[in-house]
Amino acid sequence: MKDLTVISREILETSLRALIILVLTGLLWWGIGRLVHVPLPKVDPERARRIEAALSLIRSLLRAVLLAVALLTLLSLLGLNLAPILTGAGIAGIIIGLGAQSLIRDLIAGLIIVLEDPFGIGETVRVAGVAGTVERITMRATYLRDADGTLHVIPNSMLGVVSNLSRDWAQVGVELPLPRDFRLEHLELLMQSAAEALAQDPEVAEALLQPPAFAGIEGISETAITVRIEARARPRARWTVARRMRYHLVQALQTLHSQQVE
Amino acid sequence: MKDLTVISREILETSLRALIILVLTGLLWWGIGRLVHVPLPKVDPERARRIEAALSLIRSLLRAVLLAVALLTLLSLLGLNLAPILTGAGIAGIIIGLGAQSLIRDLIAGLIIVLEDPFGIGETVRVAGVAGTVERITMRATYLRDADGTLHVIPNSMLGVVSNLSRDWAQVGVELPLPRDFRLEHLELLMQSAAEALAQDPEVAEALLQPPAFAGIEGISETAITVRIEARARPRARWTVARRMRYHLVQALQTLHSQQVE
Amino acid sequence: MKDLTVISREILETSLRALIILVLTGLLWWGIGRLVHVPLPKVDPERARRIEAALSLIRSLLRAVLLAVALLTLLSLLGLNLAPILTGAGIAGIIIGLGAQSLIRDLIAGLIIVLEDPFGIGETVRVAGVAGTVERITMRATYLRDADGTLHVIPNSMLGVVSNLSRDWAQVGVELPLPRDFRLEHLELLMQSAAEALAQDPEVAEALLQPPAFAGIEGISETAITVRIEARARPRARWTVARRMRYHLVQALQTLHSQQVE
Amino acid sequence: MKDLTVISREILETSLRALIILVLTGLLWWGIGRLVHVPLPKVDPERARRIEAALSLIRSLLRAVLLAVALLTLLSLLGLNLAPILTGAGIAGIIIGLGAQSLIRDLIAGLIIVLEDPFGIGETVRVAGVAGTVERITMRATYLRDADGTLHVIPNSMLGVVSNLSRDWAQVGVELPLPRDFRLEHLELLMQSAAEALAQDPEVAEALLQPPAFAGIEGISETAITVRIEARARPRARWTVARRMRYHLVQALQTLHSQQVE
Amino acid sequence: MKDLTVISREILETSLRALIILVLTGLLWWGIGRLVHVPLPKVDPERARRIEAALSLIRSLLRAVLLAVALLTLLSLLGLNLAPILTGAGIAGIIIGLGAQSLIRDLIAGLIIVLEDPFGIGETVRVAGVAGTVERITMRATYLRDADGTLHVIPNSMLGVVSNLSRDWAQVGVELPLPRDFRLEHLELLMQSAAEALAQDPEVAEALLQPPAFAGIEGISETAITVRIEARARPRARWTVARRMRYHLVQALQTLHSQQVE
Amino acid sequence: MKDLTVISREILETSLRALIILVLTGLLWWGIGRLVHVPLPKVDPERARRIEAALSLIRSLLRAVLLAVALLTLLSLLGLNLAPILTGAGIAGIIIGLGAQSLIRDLIAGLIIVLEDPFGIGETVRVAGVAGTVERITMRATYLRDADGTLHVIPNSMLGVVSNLSRDWAQVGVELPLPRDFRLEHLELLMQSAAEALAQDPEVAEALLQPPAFAGIEGISETAITVRIEARARPRARWTVARRMRYHLVQALQTLHSQQVE
Amino acid sequence: MKDLTVISREILETSLRALIILVLTGLLWWGIGRLVHVPLPKVDPERARRIEAALSLIRSLLRAVLLAVALLTLLSLLGLNLAPILTGAGIAGIIIGLGAQSLIRDLIAGLIIVLEDPFGIGETVRVAGVAGTVERITMRATYLRDADGTLHVIPNSMLGVVSNLSRDWAQVGVELPLPRDFRLEHLELLMQSAAEALAQDPEVAEALLQPPAFAGIEGISETAITVRIEARARPRARWTVARRMRYHLVQALQTLHSQQVE
């Protein structure tokens, strides 16, 4: 026989449990705010803003899950059958987990980019088979503008190996095929005059970090020997430096030829 | 012994629970309408229409799931065994999740296209190994018309890296192989006369954003040096500009030759 | 002590629950007929027939699942242990979901083809690395006949990007390599005489939507310049038009040569 | 207190439930025989035999599952804990589903081949990167004998796109490169004499469905123009017809040359 | 109140259930021995031994699972909580199913090889990108010795398409490029003298199943026509026959040349 | 009403169950030691040591799982709710199963290498696209040193097809292109003198298992015939033998030429 | 009827269970600290620091899981329904397991790198299609700087086969194509003079571990024979040594030519 005592005791117990749930929920709500936190970079306010946005998104997601779980636990105190809701949520979870995998991967990869900073806006990178200057970074995709003006939108999960061409310095190498009977004694002369011309070239003088030097013979085919000249330059000037090196090499070679003919 | 009091109390409790379910369902129904919402772009009514359609679809899906869960919870109040329904739904969910993955991915990718706008109708893009002008965008697929008139239907989940060729500007580069003994002194002359001819060419004059310029020597082979000339043009005119640049370069070269012969 | 009252009450409750199951099953049966429905295209009775067949298949599948679930729920009212049946069904579901994935994908892709109509019977398409004219479309596979007479049977899930060559128009381009010292002044003459000959060619006259025109110089190699002439034609005649364009170009070139020799 | 009435009532209920299980099992046993059934092709007894064997295998599998489920449900009536059996079966199901996927896919693909008949014994097909004549078709694999006498055993799940070379007709095309100054006036003459010679060739006369005709100019390179001649033949004779067409083309060309020299 | 009657009845019931478990286990133990059985090939005792070993392995595995399930069911009769054991087994099953997939696939593929016999020891096959003579077949891997003496160990699951070069016969084809002005009248003569020389060659006489014959012209390039001669030989002699055919063709060609010079 | 009898009986039952768990755990602990056992190879103590280490690792893993399961079952006897622990373990199992798949695969593949011995330390193998001499084999990776001195660390699961170049013998083949008018009568002479020189070459004399012999003509191109000479050598000397064969062939050819000139 | 005795007994039992949970949690907390431990390398403090950081991370993760499980078990003692929390955790686990797979793989691969040390900072490696000097190793990614100055960020799970070019020694090989009529008698002379020049070359003298030697003839084409010279050098000097070897070979060859001409 259930008398009033029992009922009042049940109400008491249920209230106590509801209280525990509410207190725990509050604690976790506050804990999420404390734990989801990383030191923000001071020198780059733009990146700090993106990190803050990403963390804020994560905190909101975690709190939404927390609220849903707390709500369901409270409902179960009222004697409701939670099986349909939980099964529904489980199926949805699996379907979304399978179907939206690439989206979730994009977001996780986007979070890693924001935190690790393998490239920043304005840097030139080579990723996923395309190369270009980074124009925009969102949580889902990275926008590159390549040299042709084409805008590439790359889902973050497809980035893979990131090759950043804008860090610190660039080694510029130019190869020049010469006939197999080209006298090696002339090589030094050729290299020297090309290097001098390059050093005085106003277009590249500032971009050079190390003067050009003869690297050596890179290959010998049946009809030619290929020599290589190298210089170290600022990353952005790498293509200009290479073109000017080729120009002065060809010019020095033509001068050499005309001298020999005389 | 169960007397009437007990039965009436059971009926009361069940009614109370049903009421809670109905109220929660109503709240969530209304909440879905409020939360599934993004600001619509004002300048592009066509895209706004597509976003609205996509959101409406999501809202309907969520509400159908909500109704099914609410209905099942009500049925469980009547003492029905929900295991068969839930297992059936679970199996169906897994099978569909595995079998219809690519369809779900198409729809999710379609949603992202609608929201992120990496390309619009009329723009020229390169995706999934084909290139063409976007003719139509649906939730499942993107329709491209390529230069040959072929219509490509690309499931949205296969889009991958989207390369948009119609944004802002296009850099047009033309390469011209010259014999290795071509005098570099003549290069400047050649470039200048070709650039002048291009600037006066009525077919491309309006499309040019920056006049053509000598970029440099791109490569040196055993028999040739390859020079490059570049110009910046409006995206749509990139192929016409390239062809006219080649035309004027060849013409300038032939003129130069005939002058030397004289 | 269970007296008759209790037993009769149990029977009453069970009957009530069985009634609810039967009513719900009936409602869902009718609802499946109402919801699985799309507007049929009026202009293409063959496609309408295929859509109707696909929908009918889906309706039958859904109703079979409905009946099985209803039957199991009724059995559970009689106190039978459903665990073996449900586990058996679950295992079967996972095994089939993994093993028959490609079949399920074929059917879902077949359904999409029927509803979206990216290609129809008699159109020429390029899919999954093969090209040909569509001869037959089933729920599982598409049958293509290629130009060699080979019949390709392509599972629908392997279709991927569908490239339809039979829609609206075809741009026909022909490239002609010329020696690097070919005078550009003669190009216009050459193009004109070839275009005239083509326009009067009875084999292609009707197929041309736009007369052939000089597109420009497509490439410059060390030994040749390659020019391109383009015309717009009906899709089916694209190969014939290209061959006749090549024929008239070669003829015009030979005529030009013989005139220069004279 | 459980007195005899209660015990006898329990026995009664259990017997009733066992009866329901047995009746349902019997009905499903009979239903499997009725439902797993397709109309057999009358013209091809060999294929009818293979279909019958496949259906028989499916029926046996379904009935084995049915028996196992019925047995387990009966055992649960005796109060046995089924959890170990069901968990064991579940784990086995997942492991086999993951490990034996390719075998299950082979069998399902084999079933589809038997029912859809994309190729038959004796036909020449190109599948999974190999080509040859079909020698044998089993539920798991297809046996091809290629032109070198090599026997290829291809698991059915690897078939992918099936290209059947033995259906209805074959279009035979032969390409002939000619020097760029070859007079187009002579082409017609050349084609005509080759076509005549082919029509009178006893080796191919019966195999030709359409006489050979000049298709057109397929390509223009810096040094040659390539012309194409086509004929329609019976599928099996396609390689012989191509070889004889080449033979007569070369002969006609040599005759033409010798006439010009004279 | 539980008196002794109740306790003795519980003991009775539990004993009865244990008995049923033991009887069923015995029946299944015996049934596994009867069902896992295939007819052994009489002509190949080595293969019969391998089949017997594979079946014995399967029987042991099935019986181990049977014992484990029976033991657990007995334990549950004693009131032990099986959840930890079952969960542990389930997790282990999933991890192994995912991690040891390729091993399980190897064994299943090895079983299929033993039963289907697509190749035997001593035969030459081409599988998974390598070719060689089969030296050893185990349940996990196949050992091939290629012509260089390299021993390839191929996991059975990587076999894919098996190409068996040792069955019945081999078609040997040799291609010979000739200058485009080679008189076709001489071809027959050339083929005849090469065929005669080959027929009398002691190295290949026994290996030939069909005498060599002129197959036809396989291709026409700008500078050459390529003719093909074919013969049918025993599989093992295919490379020797091809080399001898080339030898006699070159010799016949050189004789022809010297005759023409005279 | 629960009196002391009931409580003492509960304690008795629980103790009994705990005893069964402890006995079973002990039996399984001992059984793991007996069953995880393979015969160790006597001739190769290094390999025996690696097998023993691998088995010891497996035994420890199995015993850790056994202890955990036994502990949990004991805890459940005390009335603790195991659901959180089991769910936690289950989730961890799935995440690790998915995330650490490649590590588990490496270990399983490492175990197979230890047991099957497809290659040993000091042998030259070609695996996963790299070739070299095996320097070290661990459970996770194989270390190869290639001819350039590069050290390749290959995760065991990436090994795939293992090609062992150090077993028993090596067939060395050298191909020599000759002009098309090279008289076949001279071939024998050329081969003979090269074979003799090789047989007397001190660098390779000991490495030869079979003297070099003329294999035949491997190919005929428009400008050359390629002949092949083969010898069988010890595996380690295969590259030296090939180089010496080439050396003597070139020398014999030059001698032949100079004789013809005289 | 529940009297106070029962309630006090319930409280006692619950307290006892809570105590067991707390004691076990404490033991496991301490055990994690003891078991997650590896011997640190003494010679490389930087690597020891990285190992310590990785272990510390693993310990924190394990303890967080331990705390969560202990907390949930305590909550269940208070009669709270854990189903929502556990289901929520399960769904989250599956979604993260699927979506964050590559991140988890990166971390596990990073852990393996830290423990196995296949490469260290400052070494040159070739991984995942890029080559360069290792600049930084984190748990998620490896940073390479290639010869062009490009910084490659490679997720650890993409490393695959690691090819370390900086271990112990490097074999440097240079190939030199010579005309087919080059007298082999001169080869020795050529090699000797090149080897002597190299030995006296100040740029490479210290880097050589073994003097250069003639390896043999690597290949014979229709127009050339290719000889190979090899030397063993310190890994970092491999490219310099190769270039100097080429330089001295070309010089020796030119000297030889000029001597022959005289």
Side-chain angles (χ1 to χ4, degrees), chain C residues 81-99:
Chain C
N81 184 352
L82 296 182
I85 300 176
L86 296 181
T87 309
I91 296 170
I94 291 172
I95 291 182
I96 290 172
L98 286 170

Side-chain angles (χ1 to χ4, degrees), chain A residues 162-164 168 180 217-218, chain G residues 145 151-153 177 243 246:
Chain A
V162 171
S163 301
N164 192 327
D168 309 320
R180 253 184 84 157
I217 297 178
E218 278 299 289
Chain G
R145 176 82 68 172
L151 186 71
H152 301 278
V153 185
R243 283 166 178 166
R246 276 191 216 101

Side-chain angles (χ1 to χ4, degrees), chain A residues 9 17-18 20-21 24 69 72-73 76-77 82 86 89-90 93-94 96-98 101 104-105 108 112 116 118 126 160-165 167-171 180-185 187-188 214-222 225 228 230 238, chain G residues 2 7 10 71 75 78-81 83-85 87-88 91 94-95 98-101 103 128 130 138 140-141 143 145-155 158 174-179 221 223-224 242-244 246-247 249-251 253-254 258:
Chain A
R9 200 177 141 246
R17 286 173 184 150
I20 294 172
I21 293 167
L24 272 174
V69 166
L72 288 176
T73 316
S76 80
L77 287 185
L82 296 182
L86 297 180
I94 291 172
I96 289 171
L98 286 170
Q101 266 184 66
I104 296 174
R105 282 183 194 153
I108 290 175
I112 291 168
E116 276 210 357
R126 206 164 43 221
V161 175
V162 171
S163 301
N164 192 327
L165 281 81
R167 292 272 160 104
D168 309 320
W169 50 267
Q171 188 81 3
R180 253 184 84 157
D181 56 0
F182 187 91
R183 305 295 299 168
L184 292 185
E185 297 89 78
L187 251 182
E188 210 119 320
F214 172 49
I217 297 178
E218 278 299 289
I220 312 170
S221 78
E222 288 184 40
I225 53 177
R228 183 179 169 90
E230 285 185 345
R238 63 171 74 201
Chain G
K2 285 181 162 181
I7 289 177
E10 267 184 9
L71 184 67
L75 283 180
L78 297 173
L80 286 183
N81 184 352
I85 301 176
T87 308
I91 294 170
I94 291 173
I95 290 181
L98 286 170
Q101 266 184 66
L103 182 57
V130 295
T138 72
R140 197 197 73 83
Y143 291 67
R145 176 82 68 172
D146 77 9
D148 288 344
T150 304
L151 186 71
H152 301 278
V153 185
I154 306 155
M158 292 179 71
V174 164
E175 300 200 345
L176 173 71
L178 295 168
S221 78
T223 55
R243 283 166 178 166
R244 295 313 295 173
R246 276 191 216 101
Y247 188 92
L249 271 174
V250 169
Q251 204 158 48
L253 196 63
Q254 290 183 350
S258 58

Side-chain angles (χ1 to χ4, degrees), chain A residues 222, chain F residues 177-179 221-226, chain G residues 180 220-225:
Chain A
E222 288 184 40
Chain F
L178 295 168
S221 78
E222 288 184 41
T223 56
I225 53 178
T226 302
Chain G
R180 252 183 85 156
I220 311 170
S221 78
E222 287 183 41
T223 55
I225 53 177

